[in-house]
Amino acid sequence: MSYLRSIASGLIGLVLLGLPLARAAAPSTAVTHKGSGEVEQIHITADHLTATRDGKVVLEGHVTLVRGGQTISADRVVYDRKKNTVDAQGSVKLVTKEGDHFQSTSTFLRLNDNTGNAGAGQYFLHVSHGRGHAKKVLFEGKEKLILKGVRFTTCPADREDWHLFVSTLKMNRKRDTGTAHNAVLLLKGVPLMYTPYLSFPLSDRRQSGFLIPDMGSTDTIGTYFALPYYLNLAPNYDATLRPRYMSLRGLQLQTEFRYLGKSLEGTAEIEALPGDRVTGTDRYAASLHHKQRLSDHLTANADINWVSDQDYFDDFSSNLSLTSRSHLPQNLTFQYQNRDWTLAALFSRYQTLDKTLLTTEYPYERLPQLSVELRPPERANQLNYTLRGSATMFRHEDPAMPTGERLTANPGISLPLRRDFGYFVPRLSLYHSSYYQQSNGANGGFTTGVASIDSGLYFDRSVGRATSHWKQTLEPRLFYVYSPYVNQDSLPVYDSNIPEFTFDSLFRENRFVGGDRVGDTNRLTAAVTTRLVDENTGIERITASMGQVFYLADRRVSIPPGAPATTSQSDLVGELSAFIGRHWYWRGSLFWDPANAITDAHTEYLQYHPTKDRILNFGYRFRRGVQDLVDISTQWTLGSRWTVLARSQYSLLDQRNFDTTLGLEYRQCCWALRTVANRRINQNSQQVNSVAVQISFSGLGGTDSGSLRNTPLNQTILP
């Protein structure tokens, strides 16, 4: 048979090319055709041929034509050299240059312009991995393809879980888009959706089209359905429109616009619900996050967030890139920075959402705050200078609150003496604040100084056997601070407060944060830290610290003004973190009151992380009279298809759930189903329930969006 094919190839060359018979020994024949300004070669093999006087060649038996990366194989082919057409019959298989496959009983092609048609049969599209059956295929050039009466899926042949029935399916490779008309989507044979029109990408490139819809139900908005539409406006900016129908509230439009430039980037989001059916009001939300480099040293940042009312997040569980907060920031910052200096201008205000706060407890607006900071790199064993200062105009939405301007200056000098075995850092600082209160025209201010000495030693030793590589350190530390008493009771409090007491606060110069108060202090902090270090990897396997403040005098400055603090020592604070084995990690802290022999606060956190897709966290936080909370979270893959994501925060103090979320994902090779249920407490201390469902099909485009995108399950799972 191979001998007959060689003879047939030679005869094809003789008839089509008029070549000498001596050239007929090649196993395949190259046919040169000129058309449309191009020279193309067709390589043909067949068992038999018949040439006709009108320029046609009939090829029969194992016919194969190869042309420019395109291959046609069939039982019988009629090649018309004059018209440059191919009419294939029998078991026809067409493989395009792009890797698409078409099998049918008949195929007709015009080779000049790659147009033609194929009869009923199977197809496979390389780029989208789509496959199925079509009643008819129309080839409309190299870039376009039309399929009639189509069954379409991206699932493998032995596991076709979903498919589309489509009357007309159009493929445009130049646009990288597929469009389906009169499409019915079936999952496991069950019809899920009908749409008269559906557009989807043929590859992973960004393009406009519908994203994955999501649906669900909550106590506050009822049953909802959202269908996002993605707009690929340009390579460096895009937008997403997400109309969401809510049975209790009405139709809401959520929008997101993203942009990226050579020196800037940002995201703008807007939500609008005209005529809320429950409140009878218009409800809105907006946010802008913008970063821009104006020059090598100058940058600008905007973080602006706004909602129409305090209940917005409680009612809508918003899709904005914000969680429910007590205050929404509205900040605009300009910053100039070089090696040592930083100059900044801040325009800042907050929208308060916490309805339990009085208006007098709302934060002040800064319109503006101009600040300067000199902080050169530390030079060991030399004098170091620092400077911080600010000029701020404070405003408040409650007219009863004092408003005015404040000027602060905080120069400092230090002499860091550092050696391999330890350090000794004396420091002197000057704190000055002056005020002009516009509300009453009063002037005032204060000036005080702070002296501190920070000192510590390093000891280390090898532990374990001689062949081990473990090192243990012992790091004692003493920190002394002195600041005289200066009466500040008559001055306003714009931005000062008492920070949360932590291990790091043992080493603060000022007992307060902000520029309105400097605490009188005469105290000594004693602390010690020990570490167990793996010298091969540098990883600290165990780190333990303990410290306490000893007060050498009473503290008279307070917020608000009150009786002096007379305790002689702070809580004893301890912290411990440890890697336990390969997959376990533990972290904890303890605040113990030695005067009353009670525990004021403690936290425990245990993590098990055996693989990258399996993590389990146990957390417990206790603060006497304030918090007693259990926090458990997990992401766990079960087999190859199921994933569980969950988090629960339960208050033992209030004997109630604070926030519980449970998510399940079932993923097959070509589709996925996700559902998330949540129960939380809103601002009115009421339990609010919600459930969201999302289903996606590979090959139909889109990304995860909507309700599942900003749940705690897709944010950090760590407490």
Side-chain angles (χ1 to χ4, degrees):
M1 184 64 69
S2 61
Y3 175 73
L4 292 176
R5 291 187 183 180
S6 297
I7 294 177
S9 298
L11 292 175
I12 293 169
L14 176 64
V15 173
L16 300 182
L17 297 176
L19 298 177
L21 189 58
R23 300 286 300 274
S28 63
T29 298
V31 179
T32 302
H33 172 75
K34 295 182 180 180
S36 302
E38 297 181 353
V39 178
E40 297 177 329
Q41 286 189 332
I42 305 173
H43 296 272
I44 305 174
T45 61
D47 293 339
H48 308 282
L49 70 82
T50 302
T52 64
R53 293 181 180 275
D54 57 359
K56 295 182 180 179
V57 178
V58 180
L59 308 168
E60 296 179 306
H62 301 93
V63 182
T64 301
L65 288 84
V66 180
R67 168 185 172 270
Q70 185 180 66
T71 302
I72 302 175
S73 59
D75 296 332
R76 184 177 185 275
V77 172
V78 177
Y79 176 69
D80 190 328
R81 187 183 179 191
K82 293 181 179 180
K83 297 180 179 179
N84 199 28
T85 61
V86 172
D87 188 356
Q89 303 293 328
S91 299
V92 183
K93 183 176 181 180
L94 169 63
V95 181
T96 68
K97 182 179 179 180
E98 293 75 22
D100 299 339
H101 294 236
F102 301 91
Q103 296 180 359
S104 63
T105 58
S106 63
T107 298
F108 177 80
L109 281 179
R110 300 177 185 88
L111 301 183
N112 287 337
D113 55 6
N114 285 280
T115 61
N117 60 80
Q122 304 293 323
Y123 68 90
F124 171 77
L125 306 177
H126 174 70
V127 175
S128 64
H129 299 286
R131 62 167 194 85
H133 183 275
K135 294 182 179 179
K136 189 174 184 179
V137 179
L138 302 178
F139 304 101
E140 297 194 344
K142 295 181 179 180
E143 307 294 344
K144 296 182 180 180
L145 179 70
I146 298 177
L147 294 85
K148 299 286 189 177
V150 183
R151 180 187 179 102
F152 176 88
T153 185
T154 59
C155 297
D158 59 345
R159 197 187 302 169
E160 188 176 304
D161 291 343
W162 71 268
H163 62 268
L164 283 172
F165 275 131
V166 182
S167 63
T168 303
L169 182 62
K170 297 181 179 180
M171 305 288 183
N172 190 318
R173 294 189 181 90
K174 187 175 182 179
R175 289 182 167 181
D176 196 33
T177 303
T179 56
H181 296 267
N182 297 318
V184 178
L185 176 64
L186 293 92
L187 177 64
K188 297 288 188 178
V190 178
L192 295 183
M193 179 185 70
Y194 166 79
T195 176
Y197 178 82
L198 178 66
S199 176
F200 56 91
L202 298 180
S203 67
D204 294 332
R205 290 193 306 171
R206 297 188 318 167
Q207 69 169 251
S208 300
F210 287 102
L211 302 180
I212 299 170
D214 65 283
M215 63 198 76
S217 178
T218 77
D219 292 343
T220 57
I221 66 175
T223 302
Y224 68 88
F225 177 81
L227 183 61
Y229 188 84
Y230 175 76
L231 293 167
N232 183 27
L233 302 174
N236 62 326
Y237 57 90
D238 58 19
T240 302
L241 306 178
R242 185 174 180 265
R244 179 169 69 159
Y245 174 75
M246 302 169 289
S247 62
L248 296 181
R249 303 279 180 172
L251 182 62
Q252 180 189 51
L253 178 62
Q254 301 172 319
T255 65
E256 178 188 62
F257 178 74
R258 303 184 302 175
Y259 54 93
L260 177 65
K262 184 177 180 181
S263 60
L264 58 87
E265 62 178 293
T267 302
E269 297 177 87
I270 298 177
E271 298 183 356
L273 173 63
D276 186 341
R277 294 174 182 172
V278 175
T279 64
T281 60
D282 298 335
R283 313 285 295 275
Y284 300 98
S287 72
L288 172 65
H289 306 283
H290 176 85
K291 297 180 181 179
Q292 185 168 357
R293 179 168 294 278
L294 302 175
S295 69
D296 290 341
H297 301 286
L298 182 62
T299 59
N301 293 277
D303 181 17
I304 301 174
N305 309 277
W306 174 83
V307 292
S308 56
D309 54 87
Q310 291 179 307
D311 293 318
Y312 192 89
F313 289 114
D314 268 351
D315 287 347
F316 296 110
S317 300
S318 177
N319 192 42
L320 293 174
S321 301
L322 301 167
T323 56
S324 183
R325 310 178 191 176
S326 58
H327 302 87
L328 289 182
Q330 299 172 357
N331 300 330
L332 178 62
T333 306
F334 296 91
Q335 182 172 284
Y336 178 86
Q337 186 171 16
N338 63 13
R339 183 174 180 271
D340 300 335
W341 287 91
T342 300
L343 306 175
L346 170 66
F347 299 82
S348 174
R349 69 182 303 272
Y350 290 88
Q351 182 181 9
T352 301
L353 304 182
D354 189 348
K355 295 189 293 185
T356 65
L357 297 178
L358 301 174
T359 56
T360 56
E361 298 176 294
Y362 288 7
Y364 274 88
E365 302 172 358
R366 305 180 189 194
L367 302 171
Q369 175 176 289
L370 306 177
S371 61
V372 59
E373 181 175 12
L374 169 64
R375 186 175 291 274
E378 183 183 89
R379 298 171 298 174
N381 307 314
Q382 300 181 52
L383 285 175
N384 287 256
Y385 303 91
T386 60
L387 172 65
R388 288 181 298 176
S390 66
T392 311
M393 180 181 293
F394 292 99
R395 296 290 179 266
H396 201 280
E397 61 181 274
D398 190 326
M401 296 296 291
T403 59
E405 290 80 42
R406 185 190 70 194
L407 178 67
T408 67
N410 175 213
I413 184 173
S414 64
L415 179 62
L417 305 175
R418 300 186 184 276
R419 295 291 187 270
D420 293 340
F421 57 84
Y423 57 93
F424 183 84
V425 184
R427 176 177 169 82
L428 291 174
S429 300
L430 181 70
Y431 286 83
H432 172 79
S433 293
S434 59
Y435 298 83
Y436 173 73
Q437 299 184 54
Q438 291 184 348
S439 53
N440 55 23
N443 296 322
F446 70 91
T447 302
T448 188
V450 176
S452 67
I453 298 175
D454 193 5
S455 62
L457 295 172
Y458 300 119
F459 302 94
D460 65 76
R461 64 170 184 168
S462 297
V463 296
R465 297 171 300 189
T467 57
S468 65
H469 299 277
W470 295 95
K471 181 176 70 175
Q472 182 188 9
T473 70
L474 185 66
E475 306 165 29
R477 182 178 181 183
L478 291 175
F479 181 71
Y480 175 75
V481 183
Y482 174 77
S483 178
Y485 169 73
V486 175
N487 191 334
Q488 303 158 50
D489 292 348
S490 62
L491 300 175
V493 179
Y494 290 136
D495 62 0
S496 288
N497 211 330
I498 302 173
E500 181 182 358
F501 185 58
T502 64
F503 182 82
D504 290 337
S505 65
L506 298 176
F507 309 100
R508 293 182 56 88
E509 284 190 349
N510 189 2
R511 293 185 285 114
F512 304 98
V513 293
D516 299 311
R517 294 292 184 269
V518 175
D520 54 320
T521 300
N522 187 7
R523 62 188 175 95
L524 176 68
T525 298
V528 63
T529 297
T530 183
R531 311 173 200 270
L532 185 62
V533 182
D534 184 344
E535 293 186 280
N536 288 333
T537 62
I539 296 176
E540 296 180 7
R541 292 294 178 180
I542 299 177
T543 303
S545 300
M546 183 172 60
Q548 189 175 18
V549 177
F550 299 93
Y551 299 104
L552 307 180
D554 295 343
R555 284 81 62 208
R556 300 170 62 183
V557 178
S558 62
I559 300 177
T566 59
T567 55
S568 60
Q569 56 189 354
S570 72
D571 281 357
L572 181 65
V573 183
E575 292 185 339
L576 175 64
S577 61
F579 287 96
I580 309 170
R582 297 180 57 188
H583 308 307
W584 291 89
Y585 172 73
W586 188 85
R587 181 178 73 237
S589 63
L590 176 68
F591 298 80
W592 187 68
D593 181 357
N596 299 304
I598 58 174
T599 299
D600 282 334
H602 62 93
T603 63
E604 287 79 32
Y605 169 64
L606 179 65
Q607 181 184 89
Y608 178 59
H609 196 4
T611 60
K612 65 178 182 179
D613 57 353
R614 291 180 176 179
I615 187 171
L616 181 61
N617 304 301
F618 298 92
Y620 177 69
R621 299 191 291 274
F622 170 81
R623 187 172 294 274
R624 183 169 300 279
V626 177
Q627 185 182 65
D628 193 2
L629 187 72
V630 176
D631 190 345
I632 302 174
S633 59
T634 185
Q635 175 179 322
W636 205 267
T637 299
L638 305 174
S640 60
R641 299 180 181 178
W642 288 94
T643 299
V644 178
L645 302 99
R647 185 173 186 180
S648 179
Q649 299 180 76
Y650 184 83
S651 173
L652 300 175
L653 183 66
D654 301 299
Q655 294 293 305
R656 67 187 310 183
N657 164 72
F658 265 20
D659 192 346
T660 297
T661 303
L662 174 63
L664 290 174
E665 179 181 82
Y666 178 78
R667 180 175 291 276
Q668 279 280 13
C669 58
C670 56
W671 66 282
L673 175 66
R674 307 173 189 91
T675 180
V676 174
N678 175 261
R679 188 175 192 184
R680 62 180 176 85
I681 291 180
N682 64 10
Q683 287 197 71
N684 300 320
S685 296
Q686 298 173 334
Q687 294 282 359
V688 178
N689 302 300
S690 66
V691 61
V693 179
Q694 191 178 76
I695 188 169
S696 61
F697 302 93
S698 62
L700 292 184
T703 57
D704 292 352
S705 62
S707 301
L708 304 187
R709 185 181 65 176
N710 289 322
T711 64
L713 305 183
N714 277 359
Q715 300 170 1
T716 176
I717 200 70
L718 305 180

